[in-house]
PDB file of all heavy atoms in Angstrom:
ATOM      1  N   MET Z   1      -9.248 107.983  16.808  1.00 58.00           N
ATOM      2  CA  MET Z   1     -10.274 107.364  15.941  1.00 58.00           C
ATOM      3  C   MET Z   1     -11.604 108.022  16.204  1.00 58.00           C
ATOM      4  O   MET Z   1     -12.412 107.949  15.170  1.00 58.00           O
ATOM      5  CB  MET Z   1     -10.227 105.906  16.194  1.00 58.00           C
ATOM      6  CG  MET Z   1     -11.262 105.032  15.407  1.00 58.00           C
ATOM      7  SD  MET Z   1     -11.194 105.306  13.611  1.00 58.00           S
ATOM      8  CE  MET Z   1      -9.703 104.624  13.118  1.00 58.00           C
ATOM      9  N   GLY Z   3     -12.684 111.066  17.173  1.00 44.00           N
ATOM     10  CA  GLY Z   3     -12.741 112.293  16.476  1.00 44.00           C
ATOM     11  C   GLY Z   3     -13.938 113.161  16.866  1.00 44.00           C
ATOM     12  O   GLY Z   3     -14.626 112.859  17.879  1.00 44.00           O
ATOM     13  N   ALA Z  11     -24.558 113.891   6.244  1.00 95.00           N
ATOM     14  CA  ALA Z  11     -24.234 112.593   5.680  1.00 95.00           C
ATOM     15  C   ALA Z  11     -25.476 111.952   5.004  1.00 95.00           C
ATOM     16  O   ALA Z  11     -25.309 111.240   3.992  1.00 95.00           O
ATOM     17  CB  ALA Z  11     -23.660 111.737   6.818  1.00 95.00           C
ATOM     18  N   GLN Z 101     -23.351  67.151  -2.210  1.00 97.00           N
ATOM     19  CA  GLN Z 101     -22.197  66.209  -1.939  1.00 97.00           C
ATOM     20  C   GLN Z 101     -20.927  66.865  -1.931  1.00 97.00           C
ATOM     21  O   GLN Z 101     -20.018  66.674  -1.069  1.00 97.00           O
ATOM     22  CB  GLN Z 101     -22.182  65.051  -3.016  1.00 97.00           C
ATOM     23  CG  GLN Z 101     -23.264  63.976  -2.949  1.00 97.00           C
ATOM     24  CD  GLN Z 101     -23.096  62.922  -3.924  1.00 97.00           C
ATOM     25  OE1 GLN Z 101     -22.600  63.087  -5.052  1.00 97.00           O
ATOM     26  NE2 GLN Z 101     -23.588  61.674  -3.504  1.00 97.00           N
ATOM     27  N   ASN Z 130     -19.396  76.635 -15.969  1.00 98.00           N
ATOM     28  CA  ASN Z 130     -18.187  76.163 -16.401  1.00 98.00           C
ATOM     29  C   ASN Z 130     -18.334  75.172 -17.546  1.00 98.00           C
ATOM     30  O   ASN Z 130     -17.595  74.968 -18.237  1.00 98.00           O
ATOM     31  CB  ASN Z 130     -17.478  75.430 -15.124  1.00 98.00           C
ATOM     32  CG  ASN Z 130     -16.595  76.402 -14.415  1.00 98.00           C
ATOM     33  OD1 ASN Z 130     -16.315  77.464 -14.879  1.00 98.00           O
ATOM     34  ND2 ASN Z 130     -16.324  76.102 -13.092  1.00 98.00           N
ATOM     35  N   PRO Z 134     -14.178  75.944 -22.081  1.00 96.00           N
ATOM     36  CA  PRO Z 134     -13.088  74.964 -22.250  1.00 96.00           C
ATOM     37  C   PRO Z 134     -12.439  74.727 -20.887  1.00 96.00           C
ATOM     38  O   PRO Z 134     -12.458  75.551 -19.973  1.00 96.00           O
ATOM     39  CB  PRO Z 134     -11.985  75.629 -23.137  1.00 96.00           C
ATOM     40  CG  PRO Z 134     -12.765  76.829 -23.795  1.00 96.00           C
ATOM     41  CD  PRO Z 134     -13.888  77.248 -22.889  1.00 96.00           C
ATOM     42  N   ARG Z 162       1.470  59.268  -4.160  1.00 94.00           N
ATOM     43  CA  ARG Z 162       1.164  58.989  -5.614  1.00 94.00           C
ATOM     44  C   ARG Z 162       2.218  59.362  -6.424  1.00 94.00           C
ATOM     45  O   ARG Z 162       2.527  58.730  -7.558  1.00 94.00           O
ATOM     46  CB  ARG Z 162      -0.140  59.740  -5.847  1.00 94.00           C
ATOM     47  CG  ARG Z 162      -1.445  59.160  -5.393  1.00 94.00           C
ATOM     48  CD  ARG Z 162      -2.593  59.839  -5.807  1.00 94.00           C
ATOM     49  NE  ARG Z 162      -2.886  61.014  -5.098  1.00 94.00           N
ATOM     50  CZ  ARG Z 162      -2.841  62.336  -5.585  1.00 94.00           C
ATOM     51  NH1 ARG Z 162      -2.504  62.381  -6.751  1.00 94.00           N
ATOM     52  NH2 ARG Z 162      -3.177  63.387  -4.884  1.00 94.00           N
ATOM     53  N   ALA Z 168       7.352  61.054   0.225  1.00 96.00           N
ATOM     54  CA  ALA Z 168       6.411  60.767   1.218  1.00 96.00           C
ATOM     55  C   ALA Z 168       6.931  60.304   2.552  1.00 96.00           C
ATOM     56  O   ALA Z 168       6.384  60.662   3.469  1.00 96.00           O
ATOM     57  CB  ALA Z 168       5.422  59.879   0.642  1.00 96.00           C
ATOM     58  N   GLY Z 197       6.247  70.994  25.076  1.00 64.00           N
ATOM     59  CA  GLY Z 197       6.552  69.808  24.069  1.00 64.00           C
ATOM     60  C   GLY Z 197       7.389  70.461  23.062  1.00 64.00           C
ATOM     61  O   GLY Z 197       7.455  71.655  22.875  1.00 64.00           O
ATOM     62  N   GLU Z 202      10.179  73.721  12.632  1.00 93.00           N
ATOM     63  CA  GLU Z 202      11.289  73.346  11.624  1.00 93.00           C
ATOM     64  C   GLU Z 202      10.832  72.289  10.660  1.00 93.00           C
ATOM     65  O   GLU Z 202      11.084  72.334   9.521  1.00 93.00           O
ATOM     66  CB  GLU Z 202      12.653  72.913  12.350  1.00 93.00           C
ATOM     67  CG  GLU Z 202      13.259  74.000  13.198  1.00 93.00           C
ATOM     68  CD  GLU Z 202      14.566  73.571  13.665  1.00 93.00           C
ATOM     69  OE1 GLU Z 202      14.974  72.384  13.415  1.00 93.00           O
ATOM     70  OE2 GLU Z 202      15.161  74.298  14.504  1.00 93.00           O
ATOM     71  N   VAL Z 205       8.424  73.991   8.171  1.00 95.00           N
ATOM     72  CA  VAL Z 205       9.100  74.770   7.168  1.00 95.00           C
ATOM     73  C   VAL Z 205       9.818  73.987   6.149  1.00 95.00           C
ATOM     74  O   VAL Z 205       9.964  74.172   4.989  1.00 95.00           O
ATOM     75  CB  VAL Z 205       9.970  75.713   8.007  1.00 95.00           C
ATOM     76  CG1 VAL Z 205      10.926  76.451   6.930  1.00 95.00           C
ATOM     77  CG2 VAL Z 205       9.156  76.788   8.803  1.00 95.00           C
ATOM     78  N   LEU Z 212       8.329  73.414  -2.488  1.00 92.00           N
ATOM     79  CA  LEU Z 212       8.539  74.620  -3.369  1.00 92.00           C
ATOM     80  C   LEU Z 212       9.742  74.481  -4.266  1.00 92.00           C
ATOM     81  O   LEU Z 212       9.703  75.007  -5.407  1.00 92.00           O
ATOM     82  CB  LEU Z 212       8.599  75.868  -2.453  1.00 92.00           C
ATOM     83  CG  LEU Z 212       7.423  76.397  -1.750  1.00 92.00           C
ATOM     84  CD1 LEU Z 212       7.821  77.490  -0.800  1.00 92.00           C
ATOM     85  CD2 LEU Z 212       6.268  76.724  -2.664  1.00 92.00           C
ATOM     86  N   LEU Z 233      -0.179  75.900   4.288  1.00 96.00           N
ATOM     87  CA  LEU Z 233      -1.151  75.961   5.289  1.00 96.00           C
ATOM     88  C   LEU Z 233      -0.593  75.400   6.524  1.00 96.00           C
ATOM     89  O   LEU Z 233      -0.814  75.852   7.689  1.00 96.00           O
ATOM     90  CB  LEU Z 233      -2.417  75.333   4.861  1.00 96.00           C
ATOM     91  CG  LEU Z 233      -3.621  75.546   5.784  1.00 96.00           C
ATOM     92  CD1 LEU Z 233      -4.915  75.474   4.943  1.00 96.00           C
ATOM     93  CD2 LEU Z 233      -3.764  74.667   6.900  1.00 96.00           C
ATOM     94  N   THR Z 262      -1.945  83.453   0.380  1.00 97.00           N
ATOM     95  CA  THR Z 262      -2.717  82.429  -0.380  1.00 97.00           C
ATOM     96  C   THR Z 262      -3.279  83.144  -1.612  1.00 97.00           C
ATOM     97  O   THR Z 262      -3.182  82.608  -2.803  1.00 97.00           O
ATOM     98  CB  THR Z 262      -3.893  81.651   0.414  1.00 97.00           C
ATOM     99  OG1 THR Z 262      -3.235  81.193   1.654  1.00 97.00           O
ATOM    100  CG2 THR Z 262      -4.473  80.706  -0.379  1.00 97.00           C
ATOM    101  N   ARG Z 274      -3.004  81.168 -17.432  1.00 94.00           N
ATOM    102  CA  ARG Z 274      -3.790  81.735 -18.459  1.00 94.00           C
ATOM    103  C   ARG Z 274      -3.083  82.779 -19.260  1.00 94.00           C
ATOM    104  O   ARG Z 274      -3.504  83.298 -20.324  1.00 94.00           O
ATOM    105  CB  ARG Z 274      -5.007  82.564 -17.690  1.00 94.00           C
ATOM    106  CG  ARG Z 274      -6.140  81.580 -17.245  1.00 94.00           C
ATOM    107  CD  ARG Z 274      -6.835  82.193 -16.125  1.00 94.00           C
ATOM    108  NE  ARG Z 274      -8.082  81.343 -15.844  1.00 94.00           N
ATOM    109  CZ  ARG Z 274      -8.087  80.260 -15.193  1.00 94.00           C
ATOM    110  NH1 ARG Z 274      -6.809  79.597 -14.823  1.00 94.00           N
ATOM    111  NH2 ARG Z 274      -9.051  79.565 -15.014  1.00 94.00           N
ATOM    112  N   ARG Z 312      -0.537  95.869  -1.635  1.00 97.00           N
ATOM    113  CA  ARG Z 312       0.390  95.122  -2.598  1.00 97.00           C
ATOM    114  C   ARG Z 312      -0.211  95.371  -4.021  1.00 97.00           C
ATOM    115  O   ARG Z 312       0.477  95.594  -4.932  1.00 97.00           O
ATOM    116  CB  ARG Z 312       0.133  93.624  -2.335  1.00 97.00           C
ATOM    117  CG  ARG Z 312       0.486  92.591  -3.386  1.00 97.00           C
ATOM    118  CD  ARG Z 312       1.953  92.527  -3.353  1.00 97.00           C
ATOM    119  NE  ARG Z 312       2.425  91.361  -4.240  1.00 97.00           N
ATOM    120  CZ  ARG Z 312       2.584  91.431  -5.570  1.00 97.00           C
ATOM    121  NH1 ARG Z 312       2.343  92.605  -6.187  1.00 97.00           N
ATOM    122  NH2 ARG Z 312       2.997  90.436  -6.274  1.00 97.00           N
ATOM    123  N   ALA Z 334     -22.057  80.207  21.684  1.00 96.00           N
ATOM    124  CA  ALA Z 334     -20.692  79.833  22.137  1.00 96.00           C
ATOM    125  C   ALA Z 334     -19.891  78.992  21.089  1.00 96.00           C
ATOM    126  O   ALA Z 334     -20.513  78.499  20.243  1.00 96.00           O
ATOM    127  CB  ALA Z 334     -20.777  79.043  23.464  1.00 96.00           C
ATOM    128  N   TRP Z 335     -18.653  79.075  21.182  1.00 93.00           N
ATOM    129  CA  TRP Z 335     -17.860  78.392  20.138  1.00 93.00           C
ATOM    130  C   TRP Z 335     -18.242  76.936  20.188  1.00 93.00           C
ATOM    131  O   TRP Z 335     -18.402  76.261  21.175  1.00 93.00           O
ATOM    132  CB  TRP Z 335     -16.347  78.481  20.349  1.00 93.00           C
ATOM    133  CG  TRP Z 335     -15.508  78.005  19.309  1.00 93.00           C
ATOM    134  CD1 TRP Z 335     -14.897  76.811  19.239  1.00 93.00           C
ATOM    135  CD2 TRP Z 335     -15.309  78.717  18.043  1.00 93.00           C
ATOM    136  NE1 TRP Z 335     -14.211  76.689  18.012  1.00 93.00           N
ATOM    137  CE2 TRP Z 335     -14.469  77.916  17.269  1.00 93.00           C
ATOM    138  CE3 TRP Z 335     -15.771  79.799  17.513  1.00 93.00           C
ATOM    139  CZ2 TRP Z 335     -14.062  78.177  15.940  1.00 93.00           C
ATOM    140  CZ3 TRP Z 335     -15.291  80.262  16.362  1.00 93.00           C
ATOM    141  CH2 TRP Z 335     -14.398  79.361  15.339  1.00 93.00           C
ATOM    142  N   PRO Z 346     -31.685  96.501  17.187  1.00 97.00           N
ATOM    143  CA  PRO Z 346     -31.527  97.787  16.395  1.00 97.00           C
ATOM    144  C   PRO Z 346     -30.200  98.261  16.538  1.00 97.00           C
ATOM    145  O   PRO Z 346     -29.479  98.257  17.495  1.00 97.00           O
ATOM    146  CB  PRO Z 346     -32.660  98.629  17.139  1.00 97.00           C
ATOM    147  CG  PRO Z 346     -33.565  97.674  17.832  1.00 97.00           C
ATOM    148  CD  PRO Z 346     -32.615  96.479  18.272  1.00 97.00           C
ATOM    149  N   ASN Z 370     -13.755 107.400  -5.615  1.00 94.00           N
ATOM    150  CA  ASN Z 370     -13.823 108.698  -6.424  1.00 94.00           C
ATOM    151  C   ASN Z 370     -15.015 109.514  -6.242  1.00 94.00           C
ATOM    152  O   ASN Z 370     -15.365 110.258  -7.062  1.00 94.00           O
ATOM    153  CB  ASN Z 370     -13.680 108.131  -7.935  1.00 94.00           C
ATOM    154  CG  ASN Z 370     -12.402 107.496  -8.177  1.00 94.00           C
ATOM    155  OD1 ASN Z 370     -11.403 107.803  -7.708  1.00 94.00           O
ATOM    156  ND2 ASN Z 370     -12.416 106.467  -9.156  1.00 94.00           N
ATOM    157  N   ALA Z 381     -15.178 109.000  12.010  1.00 96.00           N
ATOM    158  CA  ALA Z 381     -15.230 107.534  12.702  1.00 96.00           C
ATOM    159  C   ALA Z 381     -16.638 107.295  13.299  1.00 96.00           C
ATOM    160  O   ALA Z 381     -17.138 108.177  13.953  1.00 96.00           O
ATOM    161  CB  ALA Z 381     -14.221 107.378  13.584  1.00 96.00           C
ATOM    162  N   ARG Z 397     -22.662  96.074  22.374  1.00 96.00           N
ATOM    163  CA  ARG Z 397     -21.608  97.162  22.223  1.00 96.00           C
ATOM    164  C   ARG Z 397     -20.231  96.663  22.427  1.00 96.00           C
ATOM    165  O   ARG Z 397     -19.392  96.881  21.585  1.00 96.00           O
ATOM    166  CB  ARG Z 397     -22.022  98.225  23.229  1.00 96.00           C
ATOM    167  CG  ARG Z 397     -20.947  99.439  23.323  1.00 96.00           C
ATOM    168  CD  ARG Z 397     -20.709 100.060  21.899  1.00 96.00           C
ATOM    169  NE  ARG Z 397     -19.601 101.121  21.968  1.00 96.00           N
ATOM    170  CZ  ARG Z 397     -18.451 100.934  21.580  1.00 96.00           C
ATOM    171  NH1 ARG Z 397     -18.032  99.609  21.168  1.00 96.00           N
ATOM    172  NH2 ARG Z 397     -17.524 101.819  21.583  1.00 96.00           N
ATOM    173  N   ASP Z 411     -14.295 100.640  -0.889  1.00 98.00           N
ATOM    174  CA  ASP Z 411     -14.573 101.381  -2.081  1.00 98.00           C
ATOM    175  C   ASP Z 411     -15.977 101.323  -2.497  1.00 98.00           C
ATOM    176  O   ASP Z 411     -16.318 102.301  -3.314  1.00 98.00           O
ATOM    177  CB  ASP Z 411     -13.723 100.503  -3.205  1.00 98.00           C
ATOM    178  CG  ASP Z 411     -12.205 100.606  -2.981  1.00 98.00           C
ATOM    179  OD1 ASP Z 411     -11.622 101.669  -2.969  1.00 98.00           O
ATOM    180  OD2 ASP Z 411     -11.645  99.471  -2.940  1.00 98.00           O
ATOM    181  N   SER Z 419     -32.820  92.145   6.810  1.00 97.00           N
ATOM    182  CA  SER Z 419     -32.232  90.942   6.319  1.00 97.00           C
ATOM    183  C   SER Z 419     -32.558  89.668   7.036  1.00 97.00           C
ATOM    184  O   SER Z 419     -33.153  89.686   8.142  1.00 97.00           O
ATOM    185  CB  SER Z 419     -30.769  90.951   6.339  1.00 97.00           C
ATOM    186  OG  SER Z 419     -30.198  91.274   7.589  1.00 97.00           O
TER     187      SER Z 419
END
Side-chain angles (χ1 to χ4, degrees):
M1 171 57 67
Q101 283 187 330
N130 273 339
R162 287 182 280 113
E202 289 186 10
V205 170
L212 291 175
L233 192 154
T262 303
R274 286 155 171 72
R312 172 74 171 80
W335 191 259
N370 298 326
R397 171 62 184 90
D411 293 302
S419 53

